[in-house]
Amino acid sequence: MRLLLTITLITVCAMDAHAQLWARHSIDASSKGADGARLGDFNGDSLMDIVTPWEEGGTIRIAFNPGADKVKEVWPSIIIGAVGQPEDAMAMDVDGDGRLDVVSSCEGKQRSIFVHWAPKKAEDLMNPEKWETEVLPASNDRMQFMFSVAMDVNQDGRMDLISGGKNNDAVLGWFEAPEKRRNLKAWDWHPIMPLGWLMSLHVVTGESEDDTSLLISDRRGTYRGVYRLETKVKGKMLRKLLNKDKDKEKNPWAIKYVGGNKQEVMFMDYIRRGDNDWTIAWAVSDGEVVKIRTDFSKKSVVRIPMPERSGLGKAVALGDLDNDGLDEIVVSCEHSEGKNGVFYFTEIPSAVEGIPSGWAFRDIAGLEGTKFDRIELIDLDKDGDLDVVTCEERENLGVIWYENPTK
């Protein structure tokens, strides 16, 4: 089908001089180089805890959510493992025992993935000495790993691990979980596609078990841009294809281009409201924020210039911050010395038919912070609106959250 591309010109309005900055709260600033906050309920209290790799500190830490009444205080946190130059850490029940472990991805000279095994007893969860760290052998020195997610790729009931990296030898691929998942030597590696520098990696689930796809952003290389990956076959046929002899293995993935192949795409986010209604947004390192509405046969594109007083775009997150039914675009930046490093764009609908909407700039963080990372939107203080969780790794603000002032 012919691709329909609509470019909507955007005017970024000046921020109201009396606009309210969001209060910043420290979650964990106990190490150096916080490089990405990801969520997981480790202690089963229905509150999201935060796991973070500290790149310069060389540690993986979990900060435990103390509840809404104490969430503005520094959270209790522990070191669960020490690894070299960790770039990512994510919660995953690796061995299927019902407890969340942590998987960390390392770049630099380490070039490996590690599993940090959770203690067997719940009462030992916050005891650092009870956590065990083990390298995933099939990952050892394979590439500079950047990001990982859990997904049951071959639909055998066991969660596999999808990972990717950057620079030389970088590919997107998956580690196949064996029947005895605690035996990390039995996890096999399967490549999917080459990469230049993986930024985002999302598992997108639909209404059926078979309706699962990947959404990725790659900032450099042959596949620079944003792509959706789907398996060409499902269920038993997929398992049969993937279980063939490795020398005869065929790649079952269909790679569908979304956009951004002429840009340095950074972190991206998406909202899926149905099989044929996707909103996808990303930050461009030296340029703009791009927002696409698509059904993958046609798409409309909105391009929002970055404010002159902001840093370079690093990450975006989509969410309704003011509960008006419209999604805002939260942006974080790097190289934001003396500039705005975390802010959002809010849509101003046009009152005139045929005239495109505008987007207004709203500050969150002010001028504090130099290098921010990916964003999580979550109502931490349980007051009915979305707060902003992120990391800052140059001024050592660490893992932080900004309190939404919406009333």
Side-chain angles (χ1 to χ4, degrees):
M1 182 177 292
R2 183 180 177 183
L3 179 67
L4 174 63
L5 178 63
T6 303
I7 305 296
T8 304
L9 299 180
I10 299 300
T11 299
V12 179
C13 304
M15 182 186 69
D16 182 349
H18 301 288
Q20 178 181 2
L21 293 180
W22 294 23
R24 187 186 77 226
H25 304 286
S26 178
I27 292 174
D28 183 8
S30 57
S31 187
K32 294 182 179 181
D35 203 6
R38 299 181 70 177
L39 307 177
D41 181 7
F42 287 91
N43 53 11
D45 62 358
S46 299
L47 299 173
M48 285 295 108
D49 309 306
I50 296 176
V51 58
T52 304
W54 295 76
E55 187 171 7
E56 281 71 38
T59 60
I60 309 299
R61 299 181 61 88
I62 297 177
F64 293 91
N65 191 327
D69 57 336
K70 296 183 178 180
V71 76
K72 297 179 184 181
E73 303 173 7
V74 175
W75 296 14
S77 61
I78 62 169
I79 296 174
I80 63 166
V83 294
Q85 293 182 279
E87 184 65 26
D88 176 56
M90 50 87 71
M92 175 183 175
D93 183 3
V94 179
D95 54 5
D97 66 353
R99 297 185 303 274
L100 284 179
D101 310 296
V102 171
V103 174
S104 63
S105 302
C106 299
E107 57 166 341
K109 296 180 180 180
Q110 188 72 76
R111 293 169 53 94
S112 299
I113 289 176
F114 292 85
V115 176
H116 308 274
W117 299 108
K120 295 181 179 180
K121 296 180 180 179
E123 58 266 30
D124 292 332
L125 185 64
M126 296 188 66
N127 183 347
E129 296 181 358
K130 296 296 183 178
W131 286 79
E132 300 177 6
T133 298
E134 186 178 359
V135 69
L136 181 62
S139 75
N140 197 31
D141 200 30
R142 183 173 292 279
M143 71 183 93
Q144 291 181 268
F145 285 97
M146 298 297 290
F147 209 84
S148 298
V149 294
M151 175 181 174
D152 184 4
V153 177
N154 55 2
Q155 299 167 22
D156 64 356
R158 298 188 290 268
M159 296 303 290
D160 309 298
L161 182 68
I162 299 180
S163 303
K166 70 175 186 179
N167 296 334
N168 295 335
D169 307 318
V171 296
L172 180 70
W174 61 289
F175 298 93
E176 182 180 359
E179 185 174 350
K180 296 182 179 179
R181 283 170 274 182
R182 192 84 182 193
N183 178 14
L184 294 184
K185 293 180 180 179
W187 287 65
D188 288 329
W189 167 254
H190 305 269
I192 296 174
M193 62 181 286
L195 293 172
W197 186 328
L198 178 68
M199 293 299 294
S200 296
L201 177 58
H202 294 279
V203 176
V204 184
T205 57
E207 294 181 358
S208 67
E209 179 182 352
D210 291 343
D211 184 14
T212 304
S213 59
L214 297 175
L215 202 60
I216 73 166
S217 63
D218 189 358
R219 64 188 289 185
R220 295 179 185 170
T222 303
Y223 285 95
R224 182 173 63 173
V226 177
Y227 293 84
R228 182 187 178 193
L229 281 70
E230 295 181 296
T231 51
K232 303 171 188 176
V233 294
K234 309 294 182 183
K236 292 182 179 179
M237 289 297 296
L238 176 63
R239 289 193 292 275
K240 183 178 180 180
L241 181 59
L242 292 173
N243 288 333
K244 285 186 176 181
D245 183 84
K246 286 184 180 180
D247 294 334
K248 300 178 181 178
E249 185 175 285
K250 295 181 180 180
N251 193 332
W253 297 90
I255 303 172
K256 299 182 179 180
Y257 172 67
V258 176
N261 64 348
K262 295 183 180 180
Q263 300 173 315
E264 188 172 359
V265 175
M266 306 298 281
F267 286 111
M268 50 80 65
D269 195 16
Y270 76 96
I271 293 176
R272 183 184 183 186
R273 293 187 170 88
D275 291 342
N276 299 312
D277 188 1
W278 297 61
T279 299
I280 304 170
W282 61 82
V284 178
S285 176
D286 57 353
E288 59 195 5
V289 169
V290 179
K291 175 176 173 284
I292 285 181
R293 186 89 176 264
T294 183
D295 64 1
F296 295 99
S297 63
K298 60 183 182 299
K299 59 186 176 183
S300 62
V301 182
V302 171
R303 302 182 185 277
I304 309 175
M306 291 284 279
E308 291 184 3
R309 59 180 175 271
S310 73
L312 299 183
K314 182 66 176 289
V316 300
L318 295 168
D320 183 1
L321 299 181
D322 52 11
N323 298 321
D324 66 350
L326 298 175
D327 292 317
E328 278 70 47
I329 306 174
V330 184
V331 183
S332 69
C333 298
E334 56 188 358
H335 302 293
S336 59
E337 298 90 340
K339 299 181 179 180
N340 299 120
V342 183
F343 51 88
Y344 68 94
F345 294 113
T346 185
E347 188 173 3
I348 310 298
S350 173
V352 180
E353 185 176 353
I355 301 298
S357 300
W359 290 80
F361 167 93
R362 296 288 184 264
D363 199 5
I364 291 178
L367 304 182
E368 294 181 304
T370 299
K371 185 179 180 182
F372 296 92
D373 208 83
R374 65 184 302 275
I375 303 162
E376 295 280 0
L377 301 182
I378 179 175
D379 183 7
L380 283 180
D381 51 5
K382 304 298 183 183
D383 65 351
D385 53 38
L386 294 173
D387 305 301
V388 174
V389 176
T390 188
C391 289
E392 198 284 327
E393 61 176 305
R394 283 292 177 266
E395 298 180 23
N396 283 325
L397 299 181
V399 186
I400 52 181
W401 69 281
Y402 293 94
E403 181 181 353
N404 190 334
T406 298
K407 301 298 182 183

